[in-house]
């Protein structure tokens, strides 16, 4: 495949990825208010609109093309790699509890103060 043939394919894949990413971000952004206030009519309507935009022929076609695009590529062409959204990054940046060490714990017996054992 020549560079001239590859450029339109790569441009289409980037456009498809951008389309799918934008729809995903709309849904993620609509989820927060809906989760916080599930009975809020504005939040419900925002989610309905986001889902309606996600279920269009253009988005379905982009998803189909991307599925084909991520099949094993030629050796010269890299895989498409998902990039975490802002919501995903926020969860990564939250402090988490320290993980226990991988080494097993060992009990040590020591005499108690006052001579009691």
């Amino acid at each position: 495949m020549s560079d001239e043939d590859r450029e339109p394919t790569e441009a289409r894949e980037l456009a498809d990825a951008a389309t799918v990413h934008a729809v995903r971000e709309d849904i993620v952004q609509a989820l927060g208010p809906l989760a916080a206030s599930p009975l809020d009519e504005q939040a419900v309507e925002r989610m309905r609109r986001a889902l309606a935009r996600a279920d269009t022929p253009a988005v379905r076609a982009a998803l189909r093309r991307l599925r084909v695009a991520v099949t094993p590529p030629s050796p010269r062409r890299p895989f498409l790699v998902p990039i975490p959204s802002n919501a995903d990054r926020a969860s990564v940046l939250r402090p988490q509890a320290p993980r226990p060490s991988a080494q097993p714990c060992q009990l040590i017996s020591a005499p108690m103060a006052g001579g009691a054992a």
Side-chain angles (χ1 to χ4, degrees):
M1 179 183 283
S2 70
D3 286 343
E4 295 163 355
D5 294 334
R6 195 175 36 197
E7 286 179 22
T9 302
E10 289 175 359
R12 188 187 73 227
E13 287 174 4
L14 286 174
D16 288 343
T19 299
V20 171
H21 178 73
V23 167
R24 179 184 180 275
E25 279 299 309
D26 282 349
I27 292 170
V28 168
Q29 295 300 319
L31 271 175
L34 184 62
S37 302
L39 300 178
D40 181 357
E41 290 182 27
Q42 289 179 335
V44 171
E45 186 56 34
R46 185 175 176 193
M47 178 55 77
R48 283 188 183 129
R49 285 193 311 265
L51 292 173
R53 284 190 300 271
D55 192 30
T56 63
V59 173
R60 286 193 302 268
L63 280 169
R64 259 192 317 276
R65 286 190 299 265
L66 283 174
R67 270 191 233 125
V68 171
V70 295
T71 57
S74 68
R76 294 179 21 185
R77 190 166 147 216
F79 281 106
L80 292 175
V81 181
I83 298 173
S85 70
N86 290 338
D88 295 338
R89 283 188 209 116
S91 67
V92 170
L93 296 177
R94 287 189 198 120
Q96 298 189 2
R99 293 186 177 169
S101 70
Q103 298 176 353
C105 295
Q106 189 174 23
L107 294 176
I108 301 173
S109 63
M112 295 182 66

